[in-house]
Amino acid sequence: DIQMTQSPASLSASVGDRVTITCRASQDIRNDLGWFQQKPGKAPKRLIYTASSVQNGVPPRFSGSGAGTEFTLTISSLQPEDFATYYCLQHNTYPFTFGPGTKVDIK
Amino acid sequence: QVQLVQSGAEVKKPGASVKVSCKASGYTFTEYSMQWVRQAPGQGLEWMGWINPKSGDTKYAQKFQGRVTMTRDPSISTAHMELNSLRSDDTAVYYCARSYSETSSGDYWGQGALVTVSS
């Protein structure tokens, strides 16, 4: 199975901060990667697909980049509603695998 | 608007089976695949497999092979996920998620269905 790692595991940030989360795959997954946001008690919400395409309705402060084995999710100016856990998902090889998550909370 | 509405919470005993439903609306059910993902309490997300609602073709994660069955009923735009031989570590929220194809990630997700396995 392809192993996905995320860093950091958690971070504390302030409103207005620029936040970057990294996701690494144990082998080349081309650009078959999505980013999801999950708030407590809620279903995940897709933010980014195919590594860098922003989902319809997602604010432009969210962006994704990368290909191969290293990917990043960037929030250009953190807003109060962005405090959540973020997961990456590779959908290149079965079984699809998620990263362990990055929890973003308020400093 | 696209909606996936899942069946309610269930409590099951070890060794029993559970069937979770996912009713789709707001799009043509047979034109998108349906993925299933679960999340144990306080844990991360785990992909279980998918079903093609048009053909009925399925793909399961090896971990669940032999215990999971994904089916669909296009006449009522509903997908089902049945998990057998339940164990305590199957306690989780089970999500369905629509995906453009079998090799893409889910764009719309159901609200989740909590399955609790306890004696």
Side-chain angles (χ1 to χ4, degrees):
Chain A
D1 298 2
I2 294 178
Q3 306 303 315
M4 305 299 292
T5 58
Q6 286 183 235
S7 59
S10 63
L11 66 92
S12 294
S14 301
V15 172
D17 284 353
R18 181 182 182 89
V19 168
T20 299
I21 298 169
T22 298
C23 177
R24 290 185 175 87
S26 60
Q27 62 191 69
D28 187 346
I29 59 169
R30 302 186 306 174
N31 68 340
D32 297 328
L33 185 110
W35 286 99
F36 295 82
Q37 176 194 67
Q38 188 178 34
K39 296 181 180 178
K42 299 294 187 182
K45 172 187 174 183
R46 192 171 75 174
L47 303 174
I48 304 289
Y49 61 98
T50 55
S52 60
S53 298
V54 180
Q55 181 72 31
N56 283 348
V58 170
R61 63 180 180 273
F62 290 94
S63 64
S65 64
T69 61
E70 188 156 334
F71 303 85
T72 59
L73 172 70
T74 299
I75 310 172
S76 60
S77 178
L78 199 67
Q79 297 302 301
E81 60 268 30
D82 301 337
F83 292 97
T85 300
Y86 294 84
Y87 295 93
C88 58
L89 164 70
Q90 71 80 17
H91 52 93
N92 176 267
T93 301
Y94 296 122
F96 296 170
T97 44
F98 289 88
T102 294
K103 185 175 182 180
V104 177
D105 61 23
I106 302 171
K107 183 184 279 185
Chain B
Q1 72 283 21
V2 174
Q3 277 195 304
L4 300 176
V5 178
Q6 297 186 232
S7 48
E10 304 252 20
V11 179
K12 297 291 183 180
K13 293 195 183 303
S17 299
V18 69
K19 191 171 187 177
V20 177
S21 299
C22 173
K23 182 169 177 60
S25 61
Y27 72 97
T28 301
F29 179 66
T30 52
E31 291 184 356
Y32 292 80
S33 290
M34 194 70 78
Q35 314 260 348
W36 289 88
V37 172
R38 76 177 186 179
Q39 185 171 39
Q43 302 300 309
L45 300 164
E46 181 175 32
W47 182 81
M48 299 181 70
W50 55 252
I51 183 166
N52 180 315
K54 184 172 185 178
S55 64
D57 289 346
T58 56
K59 178 72 173 180
Y60 305 140
Q62 183 69 27
K63 174 177 180 175
F64 300 102
Q65 282 278 2
R67 279 211 303 145
V68 71
T69 305
M70 295 177 189
T71 57
R72 91 292 186 216
D73 185 344
S75 69
I76 55 171
S77 300
T78 300
H80 307 278
M81 186 285 301
E82 184 170 21
L83 190 62
N84 302 318
S85 303
L86 289 169
R87 307 184 289 255
S88 58
D89 62 358
D90 291 318
T91 294
V93 176
Y94 289 77
Y95 294 102
C96 57
R98 185 189 86 156
S99 64
Y100 179 73
S101 74
E102 290 85 40
T103 54
S104 57
S105 59
D107 57 356
Y108 287 89
W109 291 57
Q111 83 277 18
L114 175 62
V115 175
T116 303
V117 183
S118 173
S119 55

